[in-house]
Amino acid sequence: MTELTDLGVRALRDGVREGAFSAVEVAEAFSARVAAASVLNAFIVETPDHALAAAREADRARAAGEAPKPLAGVPIGMKDLFATKGVQTTAASHILEGFVPEYESTVSQNLWDAGAGMLGKLNLDQFAMGSSNETSFFGNVLSPWRRNDGGNAPLAPGGSSGGSSSAIAARLCPAATGTDTGGSIRQPAAFTGIAGIKPTYGRCSRWGTVAFASSLDQAGPMARDVTDCAIMLEAMAGFDAKDATSLQLDVPKWEAGLNPSLAGKRIGIPREYRVDNMPEEIEALWQQGIDWAKDAGAEIVEVSLPHTKYALPAYYIIAPAEASSNLARYDGVRFGLRDLPAGAGLQDMYAATRAAGFGDEVKRRIMIGTYVLSAGFYDAYFTQASKVRTLIAQDFDKAWETCDLLLTPTAPSAAFALGEKSADPLAMYLNDVFTVPSSLAGLPAMSVPGGVDKHGLPLGLQIIGKALDEQGVLNAGLALEQRAGFTARAEQWW
Amino acid sequence: MSVDTATVKKVASLARIAITDDDAARMVPELNNILGWIEQLGEVDTAGVAPMTAVIPNHLRLRDDVVTDGNVRDKVLANAPVAEHGFFAVPKVIE
C-alpha cells in the first residue's frame, strides 16, 4: 500500500470516506513525518493534538453515519500569518513571539468547519515580506529540493509562503494555506514543484490574517495538484461580513467544475513578459506551456501589457506604504513585545520596541513606506504609483478583449541558494516580476509545475485569469498539469 | 530624490523605530538604491488617470449601529505586555 503521506487532499478525503483508512491513521502519519523533518524548519509550532482531534471527530462522524464534511480526515498546515485561537501566531516575527490569539481567522475557521485538522503553524518570511524565507525570526526554511550537480547548497523554498511550499513538497502535509501579496503563493509553489492559486482579491476573507498590504493581501491554497487546490479553495473562500473588502458572492463549486479542455479558449501570451536575460530554460518551458495549451484546444494570441515594467516599482511603493500603516499597531502597548529602557517615556518605548521587534527587511519596508507617504513626497510616489496601478489594471482589461487567460512563467529562475540574493534587496524584489502585475490588478492567478531545469529543480507556469474566473484558471492549470505529467520529487535527505 | 543620514534618521523617528548612527549610515545606500529604482515611475504619463482606490469593483457595506462583540475586556487585554485594573498600562506620560 502507498504511504498515507504520499496521498493528496482528494485521495485522503475519499479514502477516509470510503473507510480505506481512518482519519486518525492519516493524522498520526503526517504528524510523525512533521516531527521527523525539523531540519527543514518548515514549522514554527507543531500541533499534532489539533490534527488528531479533528481526525477523531471525522472518524466518529463516519461511524455515526453522518454526512461527511468536505475536508473530513484531511490534516493541513497553516501559514503562521493566520490567527489561530489558542495557538501562537507570530507572522515569523520577534515582536509577536508568544502572541496567542483569543480569536480565529475566518479562513482558518472555514477550514476547521470543513473538517480539516491542523498539523502546525508554518514558517514564512517575517510579516510575509520576502521571496526566500530568509527573513523569519525563527530561522530560514530549507527547501527539500537539492540541485543534482553534487553540490549540497541549501535552496530557498521561495517566499513568503516558504514553510507551506517546503512542507508540501516534503510530504509533511497534503496542503497548506498561503497568502499572496505580490506572488507569495505562486513563486514558492514554482520553486518547490507544487500548485498554488491566489484567488480574486476579496474571495477569501482577510479578517484575522496578519496584515501586510491590505489592498493586495489575499489568502489561497497550496497543494500538490490543481484538483487539491480547487477543493481547498472552496473551503477557504466565502463572504465575510467582518472584512469590508470581502466580496458578497457565493463560492462556486470549483472541484465539480474542473474540465481540462481548453477548446474555444483564447490564451494570451504577453510580449512584455519576455524580460532581458531570461534563462533559456524559462523560455523553453514557456514555449512548452504554449504547446500544451494548443494541444488542449486553446487558440494562442499575442497580447500587449505595456505597463508591465512599471508594476514592480509601483508595487514596491504601494506595498511598503500600506505596510508602514498596518504595522503601526505593533507598538508594545496592546500585544506583543515591549521594550522599555530604564527611564524611557512612551515615545522611547515605541521606538525601542519596534527596533528590537522587527527584522531588517521589515524595517526597510516600513522606512520606505514612511518616506513615500511623508509630506512633500506623497504625490510624487504614492499617488503616482496608484495611478500607474490603474494603468496596469487597464492593460489587463484591454487584454481580455482578445483573450480569456494569460500564460506566463511564474518566476524568472528556478530556486536559488539561500544567501545568494539576501545581500541585495533589489535583486530579491526582481524575483516577483511575473507575479506582481496580476496582484496589483487583483486577478486570480495560479502556478503549476511545468518541468525541471538542468539541475533537476522545478519550474512553474503561471495562468492569470479575469476577475472571478478562478474556474478558468483552474481548468487551464489542469490542462497543463495533465500534459506536464510532473512526477519529480525531492529525494529525502532530511 | 535621494536620502542622507539625517533624512534616514528623520524617517526612522516618524516610523517610531530607534536606530543608531551606524544603522542609519548602513541604510542610506540601501534606501537610495531602492528609491533610485522606483524613480522610473516618474516617466509614466499619468495625466488624466485616476489613482486606483479599489482593485475589484466593490462598495463598502454599512453594518447596523449595534454592539456586536462587546464585553470581551479580558480577552482584549489577554496579550497585553502590562495591564492593570482592566486597562492597558504604559509608562507615565504626564508628570
Side-chain angles (χ1 to χ4, degrees):
Chain A
M1 170 178 161
T2 325
E3 296 257 358
L4 287 175
T5 52
D6 280 337
L7 301 179
V9 173
R10 181 173 61 170
L12 291 168
R13 176 198 67 185
D14 292 350
V16 167
R17 278 185 192 178
E18 290 154 10
F21 39 78
S22 74
V24 166
E25 287 176 89
V26 173
E28 285 174 345
F30 277 104
S31 292
R33 219 171 140 78
V34 168
S38 55
V39 66
L40 298 175
N41 203 26
F43 285 85
I44 295 175
V45 172
E46 296 171 21
T47 56
D49 291 348
H50 190 291
L52 201 55
R56 287 205 181 103
E57 169 56 20
D59 288 338
R60 185 208 58 76
R62 183 173 183 277
E66 296 170 16
K69 291 180 175 174
L71 287 172
V74 182
I76 60 158
M78 184 62 61
K79 185 175 182 178
D80 196 27
L81 203 63
F82 295 89
T84 43
K85 189 173 182 178
V87 179
Q88 181 185 247
T89 300
T90 67
S93 72
H94 181 40
I95 208 160
L96 277 177
E97 193 176 11
F99 175 67
V100 179
E102 291 286 322
Y103 55 94
E104 189 76 38
S105 81
T106 298
V107 160
S108 55
Q109 187 64 55
N110 287 349
L111 286 164
W112 314 149
D113 289 348
M118 175 166 69
L119 290 160
K121 300 296 291 288
L122 291 158
N123 208 343
L124 64 149
D125 275 298
Q126 189 167 147
F127 284 104
M129 297 176 187
S131 304
S132 65
N133 261 262
E134 290 169 285
T135 71
S136 168
F137 178 72
F138 301 96
N140 300 344
V141 177
L142 304 188
S143 171
W145 290 86
R146 293 244 165 121
R147 290 179 184 139
N148 63 7
D149 59 1
N152 273 337
L155 300 179
S160 67
S161 310
S164 307
S165 65
S166 176
I168 296 165
R171 307 293 197 260
L172 311 185
C173 56
T177 53
T179 62
D180 195 310
T181 302
S184 282
I185 287 174
R186 293 161 281 163
Q187 183 256 20
F191 274 16
T192 57
I194 63 168
I197 180 167
K198 178 199 94 72
T200 309
Y201 179 83
R203 274 284 193 205
C204 288
S205 170
R206 290 183 299 106
W207 193 84
T209 313
V210 176
F212 164 14
S214 302
S215 77
L216 294 152
D217 297 346
Q218 189 57 205
M222 301 166 74
R224 256 171 256 155
D225 62 30
V226 173
T227 305
D228 287 1
C229 283
I231 296 169
M232 282 283 290
L233 186 58
E234 259 182 69
M236 292 166 67
F239 172 66
D240 180 10
K242 288 188 282 195
D243 173 1
T245 55
S246 175
L247 295 171
Q248 201 156 5
L249 297 167
D250 290 337
V251 177
K253 301 283 180 206
W254 287 307
E255 184 193 6
L258 283 174
N259 175 358
S261 169
L262 297 180
K265 295 283 181 195
R266 287 166 304 172
I267 303 226
I269 308 301
R271 76 170 72 101
E272 290 80 6
Y273 279 51
R274 294 195 190 280
V275 295
D276 296 340
N277 306 321
M278 190 150 81
E280 263 175 49
E281 288 168 315
I282 302 287
E283 287 272 7
L285 172 80
W286 198 3
Q287 186 54 50
Q288 180 70 75
I290 291 168
D291 294 342
W292 285 332
K294 280 187 203 162
D295 183 60
E299 179 194 343
I300 304 296
V301 294
E302 184 168 308
V303 298
S304 175
L305 300 168
H307 296 91
T308 298
K309 76 171 272 210
Y310 300 109
L312 215 46
Y315 175 84
Y316 277 99
I317 291 173
I318 292 166
E322 294 185 14
S324 75
S325 168
N326 271 327
L327 271 57
R329 67 184 57 143
Y330 303 101
D331 57 7
V333 174
R334 287 158 301 154
F335 45 78
L337 184 75
R338 169 179 292 192
D339 190 352
L340 184 61
L346 190 61
Q347 298 288 341
D348 301 322
M349 183 191 85
Y350 293 153
T353 298
R354 290 161 63 79
F358 291 138
D360 285 346
E361 180 61 24
V362 175
K363 286 181 197 168
R364 189 179 293 133
R365 295 203 197 186
I366 291 174
M367 296 276 286
I368 293 274
T370 304
Y371 181 77
V372 300
L373 289 176
S374 62
F377 300 117
Y378 186 95
D379 277 335
Y381 286 115
F382 188 72
T383 307
Q384 176 71 358
S386 301
K387 288 178 177 178
V388 170
R389 190 175 181 185
T390 299
L391 292 172
I392 288 162
Q394 287 173 352
D395 282 355
F396 282 107
D397 287 342
K398 199 153 180 1
W400 302 138
E401 292 171 9
T402 53
C403 67
D404 303 296
L405 297 157
L406 296 167
L407 174 65
T408 79
T410 307
S413 71
F416 46 84
L418 290 169
E420 207 170 285
K421 293 182 195 282
S422 49
D424 183 356
L426 259 186
M428 188 72 85
Y429 296 175
L430 292 169
N431 227 268
D432 298 330
V433 63
F434 298 134
T435 52
V436 156
S438 43
S439 289
L440 287 171
L443 303 173
M446 110 173 279
S447 179
V448 292
V452 294
D453 76 349
K454 62 176 181 291
H455 294 304
L457 298 182
L459 299 171
L461 284 165
Q462 176 180 230
I463 301 127
I464 303 168
K466 298 173 194 174
L468 305 179
D469 187 24
E470 286 82 4
Q471 190 73 66
V473 172
L474 290 162
N475 287 352
L478 187 61
L480 297 176
E481 177 179 275
Q482 288 182 351
R483 283 160 184 82
F486 185 88
T487 54
R489 61 183 279 188
E491 197 177 320
Q492 186 159 343
W493 50 265
W494 57 91
Chain B
M1 293 298 293
S2 67
V3 296
D4 53 20
T5 316
T7 314
V8 168
K9 287 164 102 170
K10 169 90 164 92
V11 172
S13 103
L14 289 172
R16 303 281 184 269
I17 297 174
I19 58 169
T20 63
D21 289 349
D22 285 351
D23 287 340
R26 184 173 48 81
M27 287 186 101
V28 166
E30 277 179 13
L31 296 186
N32 278 332
N33 198 18
I34 296 166
L35 290 169
W37 171 68
I38 60 183
E39 286 291 327
Q40 60 178 299
L41 282 190
E43 63 191 58
V44 185
D45 179 5
T46 55
V49 177
M52 180 178 281
T53 50
V55 59
I56 296 293
N58 197 0
H59 57 88
L60 278 185
R61 298 174 304 276
L62 299 177
R63 66 167 174 80
D64 293 336
D65 187 14
V66 293
V67 176
T68 53
D69 198 11
N71 299 320
V72 290
R73 186 192 75 184
D74 292 345
K75 284 187 171 185
V76 169
L77 293 175
N79 278 288
V82 186
E84 285 171 12
H85 315 301
F87 294 98
F88 294 110
V90 297
K92 198 179 345 180
V93 282
I94 302 169
E95 287 299 331

